[in-house]
Amino acid sequence: MPADSADYKITMDTAREHEFRLYSTRVQSEWTFRSQGSEDEVMPLVLADLDVPTADPLSRVPSGKPTEIRLGLRHQAGSQTAKFRTVQLELSYDGQQWT
């Protein structure tokens, strides 16, 4: 990192583009943070773990009944931990509209 403090935004898009994958094909993560300014600084990125225990190997779940979604958050190893202020999870059933 540069020696001066600054604001940063990192965006990561992950896509699974296989013809047999019809669901859960894209994940987008965004991080915004302020660097203190140090070559040795470990950025305080938060990593999200998402699990749908009832999903089959093709990421499908039965329709017509509630489905449990487990979301876990953790700090990047070696970074200073901080309390989470906001968390947002969006779902899309058609890949176009997100709730």
Side-chain angles (χ1 to χ4, degrees), residues 15-26 55-60:
R16 296 192 289 186
E17 298 173 354
H18 303 285
E19 62 184 57
F20 64 88
R21 289 256 184 223
L22 301 177
Y23 307 99
S24 188
T25 57
R26 180 174 175 248
D56 70 12
L58 295 178
S59 300
R60 299 177 298 188

Side-chain angles (χ1 to χ4, degrees), residues 7-92:
D7 294 321
Y8 291 90
K9 178 178 183 177
I10 298 173
T11 302
M12 179 178 72
D13 283 311
T14 304
R16 296 192 289 186
E17 298 173 354
H18 303 285
E19 62 184 57
F20 64 88
R21 289 256 184 223
L22 301 177
Y23 307 99
S24 188
T25 57
R26 180 174 175 248
V27 174
Q28 181 182 28
S29 301
E30 292 185 2
W31 296 271
T32 55
F33 57 91
R34 181 160 187 81
S35 165
Q36 300 301 313
S38 167
E39 289 183 13
D40 298 329
E41 183 177 7
V42 178
M43 295 295 94
L45 300 181
V46 175
L47 306 171
D49 299 311
L50 182 65
D51 183 32
V52 182
T54 58
D56 70 12
L58 295 178
S59 300
R60 299 177 298 188
V61 295
S63 63
K65 62 181 185 177
T67 299
E68 177 184 4
I69 298 174
R70 297 178 186 165
L71 177 64
L73 300 174
R74 58 190 164 90
H75 292 278
Q76 177 177 321
S79 68
Q80 294 182 348
T81 60
K83 291 184 179 183
F84 301 117
R85 292 191 303 187
T86 60
V87 176
Q88 182 176 338
L89 174 65
E90 294 182 358
L91 299 174
S92 174

